[in-house]
Short mmCIF file of all heavy atoms in Angstrom, two decimals:
data_model
loop_
_atom_site.label_atom_id
_atom_site.label_comp_id
_atom_site.label_asym_id
_atom_site.label_seq_id
_atom_site.Cartn_x
_atom_site.Cartn_y
_atom_site.Cartn_z
N VAL A 149 169.32 113.03 131.93
CA VAL A 149 169.19 112.11 133.07
C VAL A 149 168.17 112.65 134.06
O VAL A 149 167.90 113.86 134.10
CB VAL A 149 170.56 111.89 133.79
CG1 VAL A 149 171.54 111.15 132.92
CG2 VAL A 149 171.15 113.20 134.29
N ASP A 150 167.61 111.78 134.87
CA ASP A 150 166.59 112.17 135.84
C ASP A 150 167.24 112.99 136.97
O ASP A 150 168.28 112.59 137.53
CB ASP A 150 165.93 110.91 136.41
CG ASP A 150 164.64 111.20 137.13
OD1 ASP A 150 164.70 111.88 138.20
OD2 ASP A 150 163.58 110.76 136.65
N SER A 151 166.61 114.11 137.32
CA SER A 151 167.18 114.99 138.35
C SER A 151 167.30 114.29 139.71
O SER A 151 168.16 114.62 140.51
CB SER A 151 166.31 116.24 138.53
OG SER A 151 166.18 116.88 137.31
N GLU A 152 166.39 113.35 139.97
CA GLU A 152 166.43 112.62 141.25
C GLU A 152 167.14 111.27 141.11
O GLU A 152 167.20 110.51 142.06
CB GLU A 152 165.01 112.39 141.78
CG GLU A 152 164.32 113.67 142.23
CD GLU A 152 165.13 114.41 143.28
OE1 GLU A 152 165.55 113.76 144.24
OE2 GLU A 152 165.34 115.62 143.11
N GLY A 153 167.63 110.98 139.92
CA GLY A 153 168.26 109.68 139.69
C GLY A 153 169.74 109.83 139.42
O GLY A 153 170.52 110.22 140.31
N ILE A 154 170.13 109.55 138.17
CA ILE A 154 171.55 109.57 137.83
C ILE A 154 172.19 110.93 138.15
O ILE A 154 173.35 110.97 138.60
CB ILE A 154 171.75 109.18 136.34
CG1 ILE A 154 171.38 107.70 136.14
CG2 ILE A 154 173.20 109.42 135.89
CD1 ILE A 154 171.34 107.21 134.71
N ALA A 155 171.44 112.02 137.99
CA ALA A 155 172.01 113.35 138.26
C ALA A 155 172.60 113.42 139.67
O ALA A 155 173.66 114.00 139.89
CB ALA A 155 170.95 114.43 138.07
N LYS A 156 171.90 112.81 140.65
CA LYS A 156 172.35 112.92 142.05
C LYS A 156 173.08 111.66 142.53
O LYS A 156 173.54 111.61 143.67
CB LYS A 156 171.14 113.13 142.96
CG LYS A 156 170.50 114.49 142.84
CD LYS A 156 169.83 114.86 144.18
CE LYS A 156 169.30 116.28 144.14
NZ LYS A 156 167.86 116.35 143.93
N ALA A 157 173.16 110.64 141.67
CA ALA A 157 173.69 109.34 142.12
C ALA A 157 175.19 109.41 142.40
O ALA A 157 175.92 110.18 141.78
CB ALA A 157 173.42 108.29 141.05
N ASP A 158 175.64 108.58 143.35
CA ASP A 158 177.09 108.43 143.54
C ASP A 158 177.59 107.16 142.85
O ASP A 158 178.70 107.12 142.35
CB ASP A 158 177.47 108.43 145.05
CG ASP A 158 176.62 107.49 145.90
OD1 ASP A 158 175.66 106.88 145.38
OD2 ASP A 158 176.92 107.37 147.11
N VAL A 159 176.73 106.13 142.80
CA VAL A 159 177.10 104.87 142.15
C VAL A 159 176.03 104.54 141.09
O VAL A 159 174.84 104.60 141.38
CB VAL A 159 177.17 103.72 143.19
CG1 VAL A 159 177.37 102.37 142.52
CG2 VAL A 159 178.28 103.98 144.21
N VAL A 160 176.48 104.26 139.86
CA VAL A 160 175.52 103.96 138.79
C VAL A 160 175.87 102.62 138.14
O VAL A 160 177.01 102.41 137.72
CB VAL A 160 175.53 105.06 137.68
CG1 VAL A 160 174.31 104.90 136.78
CG2 VAL A 160 175.58 106.44 138.26
N LEU A 161 174.88 101.73 138.11
CA LEU A 161 175.05 100.46 137.37
C LEU A 161 174.52 100.69 135.96
O LEU A 161 173.34 101.04 135.77
CB LEU A 161 174.25 99.35 138.06
CG LEU A 161 174.12 98.03 137.29
CD1 LEU A 161 175.48 97.36 137.05
CD2 LEU A 161 173.19 97.06 138.02
N VAL A 162 175.41 100.56 134.97
CA VAL A 162 175.02 100.81 133.57
C VAL A 162 175.32 99.55 132.73
O VAL A 162 176.35 99.46 132.08
CB VAL A 162 175.74 102.05 132.98
CG1 VAL A 162 175.16 103.34 133.48
CG2 VAL A 162 177.23 102.02 133.26
N PRO A 163 174.40 98.58 132.73
CA PRO A 163 174.68 97.37 131.96
C PRO A 163 174.63 97.62 130.46
O PRO A 163 173.82 98.41 129.99
CB PRO A 163 173.56 96.40 132.37
CG PRO A 163 172.60 97.16 133.19
CD PRO A 163 173.07 98.56 133.35
N LEU A 164 175.48 96.95 129.69
CA LEU A 164 175.49 97.02 128.21
C LEU A 164 175.52 98.47 127.73
O LEU A 164 174.66 98.92 126.98
CB LEU A 164 174.26 96.32 127.62
CG LEU A 164 174.20 94.80 127.65
CD1 LEU A 164 174.27 94.19 129.01
CD2 LEU A 164 172.94 94.33 126.95
#
Side-chain angles (χ1 to χ4, degrees):
V149 293
D150 195 294
S151 304
E152 291 304 311
I154 292 172
K156 289 208 174 101
D158 48 356
V159 172
V160 194
L161 170 63
V162 285
L164 287 60

